[in-house]
Amino acid sequence: MIRSKKSTKLLKVGEETRTGHIVERILGQGPNGAVFTTKNNEIRWTYWTNNGRLPDSLGMVVLHFDSLLIDIRSLPDMDEKRALFELAGKTLYRAFESKIPPDPVKAFAEIEERLAGSFGYARNRGANANSADVVIVCALHDPELHAMLTLPGVAEAFYMADDPQTYHRTRWTTANGVTLNVILAAPNQMGLTAAGVLSAKMVLQFRPKLVAMAGIAAGATAGKQGFGDVVTPEHTFDYGTGKSIDNGRRQDIVPSPTPLSINARILGRLKEWQRSRPHLDEIAKGWPSARPGTTLNIHTGPIFSAPTVQGTSKNIERVLSQWRKLSAVEMEAHAVHRACSDTLDPAPMYLCAKSVCDFAVGKNDDWQHYAAYTSANFVYRFITQEWSNLFPPRKK
């Protein structure tokens, strides 16, 4: 990757870039940037508009591109490898020059499909599709599910005859070399009900050991939390559960939450990650666009799920008076947690790790993609690093 200030000087075949690469072939260059191959068979890109700062909306596209390059490099067929490298580069260039940044999943769909075939995946594998070690639930397709699909491993969409949902299947490798079958999905609309229904269906259908929820949330304390910070609940509860009462000229809701606690083994490891901060700086530095001026951190504490978007701080202030360590507010975590707890034995463990994209007052979309990225990468790293601690091998 090359970032430079906007310049009228275009790249030329055979010239050496300021990073020492010799340009072999230009896959595309225009007003915003260029994508090219080098003499040592690598793909590089440069973005010279906006003083070299990649727009936040293109960050997810570049991450998806980077993850695909890792998979393409492992292909045994050299002709297919060269063809997919070229196709990936041209796709990235089109994204740079597009007025509206494309959906990264759709933009690279052809490459994903060809990789899936090369790695021996097959669509609609029947019974083989109905099992998973981990299922990931995201509240939204964009940016949350998109962020998960940029992680290492070829992600393949699949469908089942008796289910209208679209799922994505991939494989992750743990720190101890164990291969995990992972299935990801997002409901077709946001909110507690949609997330809870999808989660319950995935638990019963795929019988995972672990259910994780990744995505974005509103932070509870602006002075102590930064954009992109990961919030992980010790408890989740539904703020909408309660009783409506008349209070003079207005109607109030008296909450009656029934909190659910996170598994002690997961909470213990989260507390250790909060203390020692492994991988967090690496995650932050991996974001290709602008980052907030704060250090990436983890916050544990209660999370409340609300049926509506919180555009006021009054509800949060009310909850903070009773739950002083409240870490975040969002719209789905408790429903997913409930689906994991009120199910058939053995019930799966539940992990929720959302990232702060805004606060209740002064909402904006500036940090949504970054927050979705930090959440997805934290979930991936935590699961692959901690799997043997969460699910220790049985003693013979």
Side-chain angles (χ1 to χ4, degrees), residues 174-176 178 265 382-393:
T174 72
N176 293 336
V178 176
R265 189 181 292 269
F382 183 82
I383 291 175
T384 54
Q385 293 295 315
E386 296 291 343
W387 188 260
S388 62
N389 292 322
L390 301 179
F391 303 97

Side-chain angles (χ1 to χ4, degrees), residues 291-354:
R291 301 195 302 268
T294 53
T295 301
L296 184 61
N297 283 306
I298 302 171
H299 306 271
T300 60
I303 285 181
F304 83 69
S305 300
T308 58
V309 175
Q310 299 297 295
T312 171
S313 62
K314 291 182 179 179
N315 290 338
I316 294 177
E317 291 170 356
R318 187 179 297 118
V319 175
L320 279 169
S321 67
Q322 299 174 328
W323 301 79
R324 64 183 180 85
K325 293 186 177 181
L326 184 75
S327 59
V329 180
E330 48 76 80
M331 297 176 64
E332 302 86 14
H334 183 72
V336 179
H337 199 173
R338 179 65 66 184
C340 293
S341 65
D342 296 357
T343 189
L344 303 178
D345 288 332
M349 287 190 186
Y350 175 58
L351 167 69
C352 178
K354 292 195 170 188

Side-chain angles (χ1 to χ4, degrees), residues 56-224:
D56 184 65
S57 55
L58 281 175
M60 213 69 76
V61 177
V62 170
L63 289 171
H64 207 141
F65 169 79
D66 289 341
S67 69
L68 287 175
L69 292 189
I70 295 172
D71 294 316
I72 293 171
R73 289 191 185 100
S74 64
L75 289 174
D77 187 320
M78 293 302 296
D79 290 337
E80 180 72 351
K81 183 184 295 188
R82 280 192 290 269
L84 289 185
F85 270 136
E86 181 172 328
L87 181 57
K90 290 181 176 179
T91 302
L92 180 63
Y93 170 69
R94 287 195 295 269
F96 283 172
E97 300 304 322
S98 175
K99 292 183 179 179
I100 301 176
D103 178 329
V105 176
K106 292 180 180 178
F108 295 103
E110 181 181 349
I111 299 173
E112 295 268 11
E113 187 168 349
R114 287 168 65 170
L115 280 170
S118 297
F119 286 118
Y121 288 178
R123 293 186 181 279
N124 301 318
R125 296 186 298 175
N128 291 333
N130 288 335
S131 64
D133 299 296
V134 182
V135 300
I136 310 287
V137 180
C138 299
L140 300 169
H141 288 262
D142 181 20
E144 298 171 310
L145 181 59
H146 287 173
M148 294 301 306
L149 295 177
T150 66
L151 296 170
V154 178
E156 176 210 17
F158 72 97
Y159 325 92
M160 290 178 286
D162 57 352
D163 188 342
Q165 181 69 41
T166 299
Y167 299 102
H168 297 265
R169 174 176 48 233
T170 189
R171 292 185 177 94
W172 293 350
T173 303
T174 72
N176 293 336
V178 176
T179 298
L180 301 179
N181 292 318
V182 182
I183 295 178
L184 310 94
N188 294 325
Q189 66 181 59
M190 63 190 297
L192 279 158
T193 303
V197 170
L198 175 60
S199 302
K201 184 167 60 175
M202 293 181 76
V203 169
L204 295 174
Q205 189 126 256
F206 304 119
R207 303 310 300 267
K209 293 182 179 179
L210 175 69
V211 174
M213 185 162 207
I216 58 179
T221 52
K224 298 180 180 179

